Amino acid sequence: MGTTQLESVPEPKYWHLKTVLSEALDSEFSVGEILPNERELAARFGVARATLRQALEQLELEGRLQRRRGVGTTVAPPRVGVAVGTEQHAWPGASGDVWQSVDSVLATPPAVVAAALECSTDEPVHTVRRSRMSHGQRVATELLYILAAAVPDLTAIDAPSGAARARAVLRELQHLTLEGQDRAVELGSARADDAKELDRLPGSPVLVVTTRFFAQGRTAAVSVATYRADTCRLTFGDPAGVEIHHDPEQQAS
Amino acid sequence: MGTTQLESVPEPKYWHLKTVLSEALDSEFSVGEILPNERELAARFGVARATLRQALEQLELEGRLQRRRGVGTTVAPPRVGVAVGTEQHAWPGASGDVWQSVDSVLATPPAVVAAALECSTDEPVHTVRRSRMSHGQRVATELLYILAAAVPDLTAIDAPSGAARARAVLRELQHLTLEGQDRAVELGSARADDAKELDRLPGSPVLVVTTRFFAQGRTAAVSVATYRADTCRLTFGDPAGVEIHHDPEQQAS
DNA sequence: GAGTGGTCTAGACCACATA
DNA sequence: ATGTGGTCTAGACCACTCG
């Protein structure tokens, strides 16, 4: 029989490509090194550029590559561990908080937030914008919604917005008794404004951490934090060493 | 001046499409409803199918749509909340555990796991495969690696593999004192085997939850759990109501 | 201005589910 | 057998960065 055993389950080209590239990254490239451009790589592997890009997209999703328009594709460093669960049972802005206040205004909440706060969409909330750095890079942005009714003394504040106002809101928050909190993580895609601040394109994958803070028998505040999914590994609970040399990313066995 | 103000920052077509579709989903479709097929939709919006697909991909990533080859595209139900942090400080397999054992073998660990376990790649580990259901759907698969040295009595077990063996391994584990644990969440793409079990295509986005268990002064076990990112919202900490009506997914403001 | 990645097109064929 | 989404191609142009 001249017919050799054909691939009974032919792997998609981009999948195979991804495997080959992944191995090449491990053995022939070092962190920060720049890869040949997409047209060159596609030609080298004998595929269309779109197919090559499909493989690159997955590798970027897994945190192996970093692509920047006008610059090129580089080998990404291992994901950084970012502690999310350590400030257990403390209000945002408590001492030791790693977030930096950017701005704050008093406004009505978007519908989704109003639902989480169990309030109507026309009840005023303080909206605080914060950002978080890690390893010299901005890794997350946050929108913090605080029921205006929960921090009544704040009406004395004059400034209508600004970082100083944000800090004043958070300072006021510390006087409340935190009765509990709640956290959820899910996949999302970056809104235009978050993307810009995180130096990513709109739509790039992010990990959305939603935290609800309970006080006075109700949900008093909600935080929606948006982390870069490509560069971050969120860590929880008992801290400790943060190693796992290279990250347990998935890949064809 | 005849020149009207042009869009100084022209939005990509697929981004605009995504916004339009997203609004249509909210107002004109109900959960489970099937959308027109891709060729039809592309024609209706006057774009190439590839462009339409780019929009659909993002909506699927955000959990708004579900696409199945040979079937069609349907409106996805809201993401289900899946508790991840409640069994705090208990071994896998303890009473109340929501995971179902599937199989177990004694083998040498992959390099990444060996690093997490701080052991060499030729030290034997029990590898237990488990899966997790929620709301009638399989939402996660897990590979649990347990240092063979940590459960020495197990050598008495005869069966070389199988679910019964898996349960025996976990039963043995309960005798150890759990000294602490460690958890991390990151984005990954489904390996071929996990994808099959989760009824997804290889490479689809998943949330990878890595848990390390400490006993006898070292890392005694490591769990790598793979959750469907499209359908799951991982919840942590103090449980409570799991509401947030529709999910704080990101989108063009 | 040259070179990069990002977007978009119009087609083709394939794998899969269903009737 | 038909219709669906998934893969792939070969081109074009655009937005961005940098020398």
Side-chain angles (χ1 to χ4, degrees), chain B residues 117-132:
Chain B
L117 283 169
E118 295 150 8
C119 73
S120 75
T121 52
D122 51 9
E123 179 164 352
V125 297
H126 296 288
T127 305
V128 178
R129 220 189 208 300
R130 303 196 298 170
S131 71
R132 177 170 182 175

Side-chain angles (χ1 to χ4, degrees), chain A residues 114-153:
Chain A
L117 282 170
E118 294 149 9
C119 73
S120 76
T121 51
D122 52 9
E123 179 164 351
V125 299
H126 297 289
T127 304
V128 178
R129 222 188 208 301
R130 303 197 298 169
S131 70
R132 178 170 181 174
M133 307 281 295
S134 183
H135 301 71
Q137 198 189 207
R138 193 163 321 183
V139 294
T141 68
E142 181 198 42
L143 280 175
L144 184 57
Y145 302 93
I146 301 161
L147 278 183
V151 284
D153 295 348

Side-chain angles (χ1 to χ4, degrees), chain B:
Chain B
M1 323 204 178
T3 62
T4 66
Q5 164 106 20
L6 290 175
E7 284 286 351
S8 55
V9 187
E11 213 171 36
K13 276 191 188 178
Y14 78 91
W15 186 264
H16 183 242
L17 246 184
K18 182 186 132 180
T19 307
V20 172
L21 282 170
S22 178
E23 284 163 4
L25 289 183
D26 286 334
S27 60
E28 299 168 34
F29 289 87
S30 49
V31 169
E33 200 171 342
I34 184 166
L35 266 62
N37 71 54
E38 298 183 349
R39 290 160 179 89
E40 157 97 28
L41 280 176
R44 190 179 298 185
F45 287 105
V47 300
R49 195 179 151 215
T51 305
L52 184 269
R53 278 180 60 80
Q54 211 173 338
L56 294 185
E57 258 150 44
Q58 285 225 5
L59 289 171
E60 188 179 30
L61 190 87
E62 293 172 11
R64 307 287 312 269
L65 292 179
Q66 185 147 6
R67 301 192 290 172
R68 270 173 306 170
R69 166 152 49 178
V71 179
T73 302
T74 56
V75 181
R79 286 197 174 124
V80 301
V82 182
V84 175
T86 45
E87 343 84 60
Q88 288 284 14
H89 299 275
W91 288 107
S95 66
D97 193 326
V98 294
W99 292 85
Q100 298 166 8
S101 296
V102 173
D103 197 1
S104 167
V105 294
L106 184 62
T108 57
V112 178
V113 174
L117 283 169
E118 295 150 8
C119 73
S120 75
T121 52
D122 51 9
E123 179 164 352
V125 297
H126 296 288
T127 305
V128 178
R129 220 189 208 300
R130 303 196 298 170
S131 71
R132 177 170 182 175
M133 308 280 297
S134 182
H135 301 71
Q137 197 189 206
R138 193 163 319 182
V139 293
T141 67
E142 182 198 41
L143 280 175
L144 184 57
Y145 302 93
I146 302 161
L147 278 183
V151 284
D153 294 349
L154 247 213
T155 51
I157 300 284
D158 286 320
S161 69
R165 184 179 190 284
R167 284 188 290 271
V169 173
L170 295 185
R171 208 178 313 123
E172 212 55 37
L173 205 52
Q174 314 302 320
H175 301 154
L176 277 173
T177 305
L178 178 59
E179 292 162 2
Q181 64 185 48
D182 206 27
R183 197 173 268 125
V185 178
E186 63 187 316
L187 180 58
S189 48
R191 294 196 323 261
D193 53 348
D194 289 328
K196 191 166 187 181
E197 217 159 350
L198 295 175
D199 191 27
R200 301 263 65 201
L201 288 176
S204 38
V206 290
L207 296 171
V208 182
V209 181
T210 307
T211 311
R212 298 191 294 177
F213 298 92
F214 306 114
Q216 302 171 334
R218 65 177 296 183
T219 307
V222 167
S223 153
V224 180
T226 301
Y227 289 81
R228 284 182 61 150
D230 56 343
T231 58
C232 294
R233 185 177 72 246
L234 307 184
T235 65
F236 292 85
D238 317 322
V242 181
E243 285 305 314
I244 309 185
H245 99 302
H246 172 251
D247 113 53
E249 59 201 282
Q250 312 285 97
Q251 181 180 300
S253 48

Side-chain angles (χ1 to χ4, degrees), chain A residues 96-181:
Chain A
D97 194 327
V98 294
W99 292 85
Q100 297 166 9
S101 296
V102 174
D103 197 0
S104 167
V105 295
L106 184 61
T108 57
V112 178
V113 173
L117 282 170
E118 294 149 9
C119 73
S120 76
T121 51
D122 52 9
E123 179 164 351
V125 299
H126 297 289
T127 304
V128 178
R129 222 188 208 301
R130 303 197 298 169
S131 70
R132 178 170 181 174
M133 307 281 295
S134 183
H135 301 71
Q137 198 189 207
R138 193 163 321 183
V139 294
T141 68
E142 181 198 42
L143 280 175
L144 184 57
Y145 302 93
I146 301 161
L147 278 183
V151 284
D153 295 348
L154 247 212
T155 52
I157 299 284
D158 287 318
S161 67
R165 184 181 190 284
R167 284 188 290 271
V169 173
L170 296 185
R171 208 178 313 122
E172 213 53 39
L173 204 53
Q174 313 302 320
H175 300 153
L176 278 173
T177 305
L178 178 59
E179 291 162 3
Q181 64 186 45

Side-chain angles (χ1 to χ4, degrees), chain A residues 37-108:
Chain A
N37 71 53
E38 297 185 348
R39 290 160 179 90
E40 157 97 29
L41 279 176
R44 191 178 299 185
F45 286 106
V47 299
R49 193 179 152 216
T51 305
L52 185 267
R53 277 179 61 81
Q54 211 172 338
L56 294 185
E57 259 151 43
Q58 285 227 4
L59 289 171
E60 189 179 30
L61 190 87
E62 293 171 11
R64 306 286 313 269
L65 292 180
Q66 185 147 8
R67 301 192 290 171
R68 271 174 305 170
R69 165 152 50 178
V71 180
T73 302
T74 55
V75 181
R79 285 196 175 124
V80 300
V82 181
V84 174
T86 45
E87 343 83 61
Q88 288 285 13
H89 298 276
W91 288 107
S95 66
D97 194 327
V98 294
W99 292 85
Q100 297 166 9
S101 296
V102 174
D103 197 0
S104 167
V105 295
L106 184 61
T108 57

